[in-house]
């Protein structure tokens, strides 16, 4: 019997992602305060641009958490840290320079968290790497922000000490440092900065890709513990994805995609859920039986995914505006997050 579908390593990464989201919110509220208190117009404008990046990156982080598939609470120590820093930033004990320096440290921490999650994903499983792919853009931008903050600190610090401006050429050096970092960005799935969200097809496709990756991982191992871990993730991902589609997407497409086609999608998902529960009852120590059942599931899911990506996506393109597709994505993401939270608390 599979006693639990939770895996400690995966939960630990989920917690790290929740910490990162809490710090990202803190970074945003810091920047709002710093902008209000900033004595220099140029620095203020730079902080304003940074704030806009950070607000967009909060959205990317939320996408990553939903893709990752496990919702968690931040650690107690992180919650306390957030509260402490909020008080410090709101108070008048620190100079503007000192507050900015504190902010730069947070950015540094955020860069390291991004790197750590990335490396941990490489250790734990390919499906996690797929899920956290968009985090790369956040990491890259945070590193660029760090360079910009160093420039601001230099300018503000020299002024606080001397009342005079630092050497000319400061911003040019900052620009150079940022440009030198662009090599690390690589090819990443990104969210356009002028958009609120990805469109619904991109978001659904990310889920499908992750599912395919887990099927590949299951196909490549006979280790019962690994099988249980991968299946646990697959189970949660497929249920949350299917339910979110049934709440947000299928009702919306029915009018133009047709009753029969839409009903077929519901029926296939019902079959998929039955198969998931059948497999859940098999002991993965019977690796061959377990894997052959998973293979059957893979065929059913594969057909279903192909129908969605080839015909339903086309119908959405033909009948929905860009804004409607983004709106659907935002609702899909929110629905999935809610379902994942319910799953997490029902497993406790
Ligand atoms: Fe579906
Ligand atoms: Fe789907």
């Amino acid at each position: 019997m599979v006693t639990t579908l939770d895996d400690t390593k995966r939960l630990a990464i989920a917690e790290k992602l929740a910490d990162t989201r809490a710090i990202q919110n803190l970074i945003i509220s810091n920047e709002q305060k710093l902008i209000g208190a900033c004595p220099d117009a140029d620095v203020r404008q730079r902080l304003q641009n940074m704030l806009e990046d950070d607000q967009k990156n909060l959205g990317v982080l939320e996408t990553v958490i939903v893709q990752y598939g496990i919702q968690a609470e931040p650690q107690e120590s992180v919650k306390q840290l957030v509260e402490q820093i909020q008080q410090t930033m709101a108070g008048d004990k620190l100079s503007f320079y000192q507050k900015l320096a504190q902010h730069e440290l947070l950015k540094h921490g955020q860069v390291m968290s991004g790197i750590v999650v990335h490396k941990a994903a490489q250790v734990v499983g390919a499906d996690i790497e797929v899920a956290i792919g968009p985090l790369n853009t956040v990491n890259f931008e945070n590193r660029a922000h760090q360079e910009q903050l160093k420039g601001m600190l230099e300018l503000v610090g020299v002024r606080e000490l001397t009342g005079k401006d630092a050497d000319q050429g400061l911003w040019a050096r900052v620009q150079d440092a940022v440009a030198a970092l662009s090599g690390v960005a690589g090819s990443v799935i990104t969210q356009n900065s002028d958009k609120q969200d990805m469109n619904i097809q991109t978001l659904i496709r990310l889920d499908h890709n992750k599912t395919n990756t887990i099927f590949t991982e299951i196909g490549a191992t006979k280790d019962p513990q690994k099988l249980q871990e991968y299946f646990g993730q697959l189970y949660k991902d497929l249920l949350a994805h299917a339910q979110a589609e049934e709440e947000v997407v299928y009702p919306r497409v029915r009018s133009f995609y047709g009753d029969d086609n839409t009903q077929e999608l519901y029926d296939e998902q019902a079959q998929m859920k039955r198969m998931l529960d059948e497999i859940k009852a098999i002991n993965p120590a019977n690796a061959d039986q377990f894997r052959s059942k998973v293979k059957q599931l893979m065929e059913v899911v594969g057909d279903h995914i192909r129908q969605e990506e080839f015909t339903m996506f086309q119908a959405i393109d033909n009948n929905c505006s860009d804004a409607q597709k983004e709106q659907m994505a935002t609702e899909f993401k929110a629905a999935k997050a809610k379902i994942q939270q319910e799953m997490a608390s029902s497993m406790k």
Side-chain angles (χ1 to χ4, degrees):
M1 268 306 278
V2 177
T3 49
T4 171
L5 290 173
D6 281 332
D7 176 81
T8 19
K9 302 182 294 296
R10 283 171 189 255
L11 281 177
I13 294 177
E15 203 170 60
K16 188 76 182 160
L17 285 169
D19 290 349
T20 309
R21 177 172 50 192
I23 299 290
Q24 188 69 13
N25 274 311
L26 174 64
I27 284 175
I28 289 170
S29 92
N30 274 358
E31 281 160 2
Q32 286 162 341
K33 291 190 186 93
L34 288 166
I35 289 167
C38 185
D40 181 277
D42 198 3
V43 172
R44 191 159 51 239
Q45 185 55 50
R46 281 161 200 272
L47 283 169
Q48 184 64 43
N49 295 342
M50 200 173 284
L51 172 64
E52 282 161 25
D53 286 348
D54 279 321
Q55 282 165 332
K56 181 203 66 182
N57 285 340
L58 178 63
V60 176
L61 250 173
E62 274 159 2
T63 305
V64 166
I65 290 172
V66 169
Q67 286 301 120
Y68 183 70
I70 305 168
Q71 298 276 342
E73 279 285 301
Q75 299 180 73
E76 260 328 294
S77 57
V78 170
K79 288 186 194 167
Q80 283 167 13
L81 182 80
V82 166
E83 216 165 287
Q84 245 170 36
I85 295 179
Q86 256 165 354
Q87 280 171 11
T88 312
M89 298 299 274
D92 53 10
K93 285 215 174 77
L94 298 188
S95 71
F96 187 79
Y97 173 85
Q98 286 168 325
K99 287 182 180 176
L100 202 56
Q102 173 68 62
H103 191 61
E104 201 253 341
L105 282 178
L106 272 183
K107 270 279 167 198
H108 177 74
Q110 201 71 329
V111 168
M112 288 316 300
S113 297
I115 293 172
V116 166
V117 168
H118 193 84
K119 299 278 174 191
Q122 288 172 343
V123 175
V124 178
D127 58 293
I128 301 183
E129 275 191 270
V130 171
I132 65 155
L135 199 59
N136 287 334
T137 51
V138 180
N139 289 350
F140 165 67
E141 284 193 348
N142 277 334
R143 289 186 67 170
H145 288 172
Q146 248 191 302
E147 291 308 316
Q148 290 163 357
L149 284 164
K150 284 182 201 165
M152 293 179 207
L153 278 169
E154 194 175 318
L155 185 132
V156 172
V158 170
R159 258 201 217 143
E160 275 187 19
L161 288 177
T162 68
K164 292 204 169 84
D165 277 342
D167 268 353
Q168 296 297 308
L170 168 70
W171 295 123
R173 267 191 286 123
V174 170
Q175 274 323 112
D176 285 350
V178 170
L181 281 173
S182 65
V184 304
S187 77
V188 284
I189 309 158
T190 183
Q191 229 166 288
N192 274 334
S193 51
D194 58 340
K195 279 185 172 181
Q196 282 296 310
D197 223 322
M198 301 181 187
N199 70 35
I200 184 67
Q201 291 107 312
T202 308
L203 203 55
I204 289 181
R205 202 177 273 118
L206 281 175
D207 278 355
H208 292 169
N209 290 348
K210 188 184 171 202
T211 300
N212 286 330
T213 307
I214 303 181
F215 277 125
T216 309
E217 287 174 310
I218 292 177
T221 184
K222 286 195 172 184
D223 174 354
Q225 209 179 336
K226 281 305 220 186
L227 286 174
Q228 177 161 334
E229 176 193 334
Y230 292 140
F231 178 72
Q233 189 67 56
L234 182 72
Y235 184 91
K236 282 183 265 204
D237 285 352
L238 283 178
L239 284 189
H241 177 85
Q243 198 177 323
E245 282 182 339
E246 289 179 15
E247 283 175 21
V248 174
V249 183
Y250 296 172
R252 203 76 53 85
V253 303
R254 194 184 272 279
S255 65
F256 53 77
Y257 187 50
D259 272 334
D260 289 353
N261 283 336
T262 310
Q263 193 52 47
E264 206 180 325
L265 294 177
Y266 277 104
D267 293 345
E268 286 168 356
Q269 292 199 156
Q271 187 191 359
M272 181 191 86
K273 287 177 208 169
R274 280 194 301 274
M275 294 176 87
L276 279 169
D277 280 324
E278 277 170 35
I279 301 170
K280 194 180 167 197
I282 302 173
N283 187 336
N286 302 324
D288 289 336
Q289 189 201 2
F290 190 87
R291 283 169 15 126
S292 90
K293 277 282 183 189
V294 170
K295 194 155 176 283
Q296 289 169 19
L297 173 70
M298 186 176 82
E299 278 156 20
V300 169
V301 171
D303 283 343
H304 180 77
I305 285 178
R306 276 189 290 279
Q307 184 182 341
E308 286 181 350
E309 294 197 1
F310 288 112
T311 65
M312 185 184 81
F313 281 11
Q314 191 59 50
I316 292 174
D317 269 334
N318 293 343
N319 292 280
C320 301
S321 68
D322 287 348
Q324 285 170 325
K325 288 190 280 185
E326 280 171 42
Q327 179 58 30
M328 234 193 280
T330 305
E331 287 172 29
F332 181 79
K333 207 160 90 173
K336 248 181 84 184
K338 193 164 164 275
I339 297 160
Q340 288 166 345
Q341 270 148 11
E342 286 160 4
M343 280 184 188
S345 53
S346 76
M347 281 183 186
K348 265 178 196 157

